Amino acid sequence: MRFILCAGLLMAGAVPAFASGGLSCEAEGGSAKIAVESGVTRGMGSPVFNFRGSVVISEKSVAEDLRTTAFTGEHLAQYWLDGEELRLVLYREREGDKPHGYVEITVLTKSHGDEGGYAGTYDLTAYDGTGDDPEGKTVKLEGKIGCFVE
């Protein structure tokens, strides 16, 4: 009986343990303030959980209802974390009965000297289908962003 109990305990200890950590990104200055936070599970592609983010755009040429946009996990269109790079694509469409509009943010970062630190750039596109132009209005912004993964 003791042998079976000891063998069971040893087998349980042989199962790999998957810990969780977090990721965060911030960009301030310029025409946009971006903040992203999420939990990250280690292993099996490092899936994210409790994802949330926001952008506040100060550029007045962007439609007022798109200038402040919140993101949740359903707005994380793409995600890549491999130890050397962290990439995110956030996409959220305008809600309500107004014509089509969206905010899309692409974050491209690479690991740098600090353990867990990533530095890179963001590209932000705000599209507004309202107004007289049948093509709509697109505003593109870019800047530097820093991220941390633990």
Side-chain angles (χ1 to χ4, degrees), residues 52-98:
R52 60 195 170 280
S54 65
V55 63
V56 177
I57 303 168
S58 59
E59 178 66 42
K60 299 296 183 200
S61 61
V62 174
E64 187 173 341
D65 66 321
L66 297 176
R67 278 191 227 146
T68 301
T69 302
F71 300 94
T72 62
E74 70 182 288
H75 305 116
L76 181 60
Q78 294 182 18
Y79 161 72
W80 176 267
L81 174 62
D82 69 357
E84 293 182 26
E85 293 182 318
L86 169 63
R87 298 177 177 212
L88 306 169
V89 177
L90 309 175
Y91 178 83
R92 180 150 189 190
E93 293 185 354
R94 168 185 278 143
E95 295 180 357
D97 58 355
K98 286 187 176 182

Side-chain angles (χ1 to χ4, degrees), residues 32-44:
K33 179 179 178 180
I34 299 169
V36 172
E37 293 181 343
S38 182
V40 179
T41 301
R42 302 289 183 212
M44 298 301 294

Side-chain angles (χ1 to χ4, degrees), residues 9-10 15 20-21 30 45 48 54 58 75 79 82 97 101 114 120 131 135-136 141 145-146 149:
L9 290 172
L10 286 173
V15 175
S20 60
V48 298
S54 65
S58 59
H75 305 116
Y79 161 72
D82 69 357
D97 58 355
D114 298 339
E135 297 294 315
L141 305 170
I145 193 164
V149 178

